[in-house]
Amino acid sequence: MAINLPIYMDNHATTPVDPRVLEAMLPFFGEKFGNAASRNHSFGWSAEEAVENARAQIARLVNANPKEIIFTSGATESNNLAIKGVAEMYREKGNHIITQVIEHKAVLDTCKRLEKYGFEVNYLPVEKDGRINLDDLRRAITPKTILISIMYANNEIGVINPIAEIGKIAKEKGVFFHVDGVQAAGKVPVDVQKDNIDLLSLSGHKIYGPKGVGALYVRRRNPRVQVSAIIDGGGHERGMRSGTLNVPGIVGMGKACEVCQNEMAEEGERLRRLRERLKEGIFAKLDEVYINGSMVHRLPHNLNVSFAFVEGESLLMGINDVAVSSGSACTSATLEPSYVLKALGVGEDLAHTSIRFGLGRFNTQEEVDYVTDRVVETVNRLRELSPLYEMAKEGIDLSKMNWRPA
Amino acid sequence: MAYSDKVIDHYNHPRNVGSLPKEDPNVGTGLVGAPECGDVMKLQMKINPETQVIEEAKFKTFGCGSAIASSSLATEWVKGKTVEEALAIKNTDIVRELSLPPVKIHCSVLAEDAIKAAIGDWKRKKGDTTPAAQTTTTHG
């Protein structure tokens, strides 16, 4: 089978829209353009019906009730709404929030803002494998704790947290549990009942749906959770999120959830096999390659690897017909290497050499083999160019060198 | 980020990659940068003690494409120059030649440092203790 270049293997960043999703959306850009809030004519009714259908599709994916799904503009907004909304609503009850250091910035920066307004936040460390320690969590809970916010799976290393155990602890202690489920939902089974999740952030574009649409699951019973709105206006979404609904986006997200649910088992297994093939191909042909994060508790489609002595951006430049991403400082907006890898205890030297592969629905085995060959060839070429590789081969301990940073 | 054609050319066809015997009294070695910062350059020059002409230059670099290009260009430029001429190469010359964007200026600084460090090492081997040049103050 011929390979089409460039190859997209950065599916944690975003995913292409599935053609079935696009097809479901199209009528809502055309003849079905109505406002779902228009109660008095058929244009509004058909839009509302489509929105309610999507709400049910999304709810089914995570075992929720459709009434518990609030539409947003994306997971960043969902995370903001969950955390700020609970903080404001339950301020009288307490001002303490627990999260972890490797959350997405949408959670971390939301928590940082709340700190300015008098909230106290614990940022739990993670173990070497990228998961939080449950004893750390238990110890961090105080009578003032109102919320625990822990992601289901990390966007860089794909490591899955012990969500059911955290949910159990939160429930025992009477603390709300918010989960950023963006990377996990649709890829692995997420069940808000089984896992005792009270709030769950979801995104459309990570599951082969469109960008600009997301959802927040807000538990309605046992216990009932309320969030203060952060956007005021016409009182849509039961007052929790005002603003005219993005009907085509919502329809697309609903369809994307349905497809994921129907195909999750098969797709997860296929991607796991491809991921293992990629990993084994790389490890068979290169030395000094290190996996970042647990391989056991991990999304099936993620591989995060450090190629020692080869700087990440230069590797990306060498495999320029393959779209992946790096934890190297040179590829980040902040010019700092990945804070996620740093939190795992990966040295900054190795963080600069990390590459994240995010396999997806449309990747083929031929593509995986092509990517493997390109990576191996480029790493070998760059190691020939690397003074560090040469020194390591000479037996010099690089950590004992007296470096002269620029 | 889009790279300039010259950066891509040096990245794809780096000039003068390799190593010279660092024990050779006529070889100066400069090793600058740090793995934690994501770039390390090793620049070596073989210098004729009579004429002070740089007869050979080799590099190896761990770093982004711009760091590789900066050091590759540095080896091209110093070859055939006298020590004094090589010391006059400024990081801004490298920035201009490679059209480096502001976030990559530190790569050119590192290349200039590498030239000075290599010549300094050679001078030390010759028993000359005066510093090769003033340390640049534009470090990023």
Side-chain angles (χ1 to χ4, degrees):
Chain A
M1 196 163 90
I3 289 179
N4 285 328
L5 298 176
I7 293 168
Y8 188 75
M9 218 174 261
D10 199 14
N11 287 282
H12 296 290
T14 193
T15 54
V17 173
D18 188 296
R20 292 167 285 185
V21 169
L22 180 62
E23 195 190 350
M25 291 171 71
L26 286 175
F28 296 90
F29 290 107
E31 76 270 24
K32 296 185 178 182
F33 63 87
N35 185 331
S38 295
R39 289 284 158 80
N40 301 309
H41 50 66
S42 61
F43 295 90
W45 299 330
S46 73
E48 190 192 11
E49 189 191 339
V51 166
E52 294 317 313
N53 180 44
R55 212 186 288 280
Q57 288 168 317
I58 295 166
R60 262 199 301 278
L61 179 67
V62 297
N63 194 22
N65 184 308
K67 288 182 181 151
E68 299 174 307
I69 301 295
I70 307 295
F71 288 111
T72 66
S73 64
T76 290
E77 188 190 332
S78 300
N79 285 333
N80 271 265
L81 177 58
I83 298 168
K84 289 175 183 165
V86 164
E88 187 181 328
M89 185 63 78
Y90 297 94
R91 174 119 214 195
E92 298 303 309
K93 195 172 161 235
N95 69 337
H96 183 232
I97 294 169
I98 299 169
T99 184
Q100 58 157 352
V101 289
I102 65 169
E103 286 294 309
H104 190 273
K105 292 286 183 187
V107 167
L108 290 177
D109 288 357
T110 299
C111 288
K112 284 197 186 114
R113 183 174 296 275
L114 288 175
E115 283 185 278
K116 285 188 200 155
Y117 297 132
F119 283 86
E120 283 174 27
V121 183
N122 264 63
Y123 301 90
L124 298 177
V126 291
E127 308 274 337
K128 259 188 117 52
D129 65 357
R131 305 175 98 208
I132 64 161
N133 179 316
L134 295 174
D135 289 330
D136 287 348
L137 174 66
R138 282 192 201 93
R139 273 194 295 270
I141 298 172
T142 76
K144 290 270 177 207
T145 309
I146 53 172
L147 183 68
I148 296 168
S149 179
I150 301 287
M151 68 200 334
Y152 208 106
N154 181 270
N155 48 305
E156 288 190 31
I157 51 177
V159 169
I160 298 173
N161 263 307
I163 293 297
E165 288 90 329
I166 299 168
K168 198 161 160 253
I169 293 169
K171 195 170 174 66
E172 275 167 21
K173 301 280 186 179
V175 176
F176 291 140
F177 181 29
H178 167 243
V179 174
D180 175 350
V182 167
Q183 297 290 342
K187 316 294 170 66
V188 293
V190 174
D191 184 327
V192 294
Q193 303 308 338
K194 198 165 98 316
D195 293 342
N196 287 306
I197 295 170
D198 297 314
L199 301 116
L200 177 73
S201 299
L202 301 166
S203 168
H205 76 104
K206 309 286 193 191
I207 54 172
Y208 312 95
K211 295 170 183 61
V213 60
L216 180 66
Y217 156 80
V218 184
R219 179 177 285 279
R220 266 164 67 97
R221 43 196 297 233
N222 192 27
R224 177 179 175 82
V225 183
Q226 290 178 284
V227 294
S228 293
I230 55 176
I231 294 177
D232 297 307
H236 308 74
E237 299 297 272
R238 293 188 291 118
M240 282 187 258
R241 205 284 189 172
S242 288
T244 297
L245 291 177
N246 167 9
V247 179
I250 288 167
V251 168
M253 183 169 173
K255 182 67 183 177
C257 286
E258 184 189 274
V259 174
C260 281
Q261 188 167 16
N262 291 340
E263 301 181 357
M264 188 188 299
E266 199 185 324
E267 181 167 283
E269 200 34 51
R270 188 183 76 88
L271 293 179
R272 184 185 305 279
R273 278 201 305 274
L274 287 183
R275 193 266 312 275
E276 291 305 310
R277 189 179 177 92
L278 177 64
K279 175 174 150 258
E280 280 158 21
I282 289 169
F283 275 73
K285 291 173 197 143
L286 292 172
D287 62 346
E288 302 265 19
V289 185
Y290 305 94
I291 297 276
N292 296 311
S294 167
M295 273 315 285
V296 181
H297 306 285
R298 195 181 196 104
L299 295 172
H301 55 296
N302 173 283
L303 187 65
N304 189 307
V305 179
S306 285
F307 297 90
F309 319 119
V310 174
E311 196 276 329
E313 188 188 330
S314 68
L315 179 50
L316 295 188
M317 200 172 162
I319 52 170
N320 58 0
D321 51 7
V322 178
V324 293
S325 65
S326 169
S328 149
C330 290
T331 61
S332 78
T334 57
L335 292 180
E336 289 291 327
S338 158
Y339 67 93
V340 173
L341 298 184
K342 204 170 165 182
L344 261 60
V346 174
E348 288 200 11
D349 51 343
L350 275 178
H352 283 291
T353 71
S354 72
I355 299 289
R356 175 186 71 179
F357 300 90
L359 290 155
R361 181 172 293 165
F362 303 106
N363 287 126
T364 63
Q365 183 169 310
E366 288 77 8
E367 288 179 339
V368 166
D369 292 346
Y370 179 86
V371 170
T372 306
D373 289 347
R374 292 282 291 160
V375 166
V376 168
E377 162 196 314
T378 308
V379 168
N380 279 329
R381 184 172 91 79
L382 291 171
R383 281 183 174 171
E384 280 309 303
L385 244 150
S386 171
L388 302 179
Y389 189 65
E390 180 183 68
M391 291 161 80
K393 291 282 138 183
E394 284 169 6
I396 295 169
D397 183 349
L398 297 174
S399 66
K400 301 227 160 65
M401 290 283 298
N402 187 18
W403 295 105
R404 297 174 48 179
Chain B
M1 185 191 313
Y3 302 96
S4 72
D5 291 344
K6 282 182 180 164
V7 168
I8 292 170
D9 183 49
H10 277 281
Y11 173 84
N12 285 330
H13 311 284
R15 334 289 201 249
N16 308 307
V17 175
S19 301
L20 298 171
K22 55 178 178 281
E23 308 310 327
D24 185 331
N26 294 326
V27 168
T29 300
L31 184 68
V32 297
E36 295 75 30
C37 303
D39 31 33
V40 174
M41 286 181 193
K42 187 188 78 166
L43 187 61
Q44 292 184 301
M45 304 175 190
K46 186 170 179 142
I47 304 171
N48 185 321
E50 307 300 319
T51 60
Q52 303 250 317
V53 168
I54 298 164
E55 293 177 337
E56 237 188 299
K58 294 276 184 201
F59 87 97
K60 283 201 175 190
T61 289
F62 162 82
C64 63
S66 303
I68 290 169
S70 296
S71 38
S72 170
L73 177 67
T75 60
E76 260 191 333
W77 276 359
V78 299
K79 253 173 131 177
K81 282 195 167 65
T82 64
V83 165
E84 203 175 328
E85 287 165 344
L87 286 173
I89 296 171
K90 290 275 164 278
N91 82 291
T92 47
D93 304 331
I94 296 170
V95 169
R96 210 171 305 120
E97 173 68 15
L98 295 176
S99 312
L100 296 181
V103 295
K104 296 296 182 188
I105 287 174
H106 74 278
C107 299
S108 69
V109 172
L110 209 54
E112 183 187 322
D113 285 355
I115 294 172
K116 294 191 159 70
I119 291 174
D121 181 53
W122 175 78
K123 285 190 170 173
R124 260 190 309 280
K125 284 183 174 174
K126 296 272 153 255
D128 180 349
T129 52
T130 54
Q134 279 197 301
T135 323
T136 48
T137 51
T138 50
H139 289 185

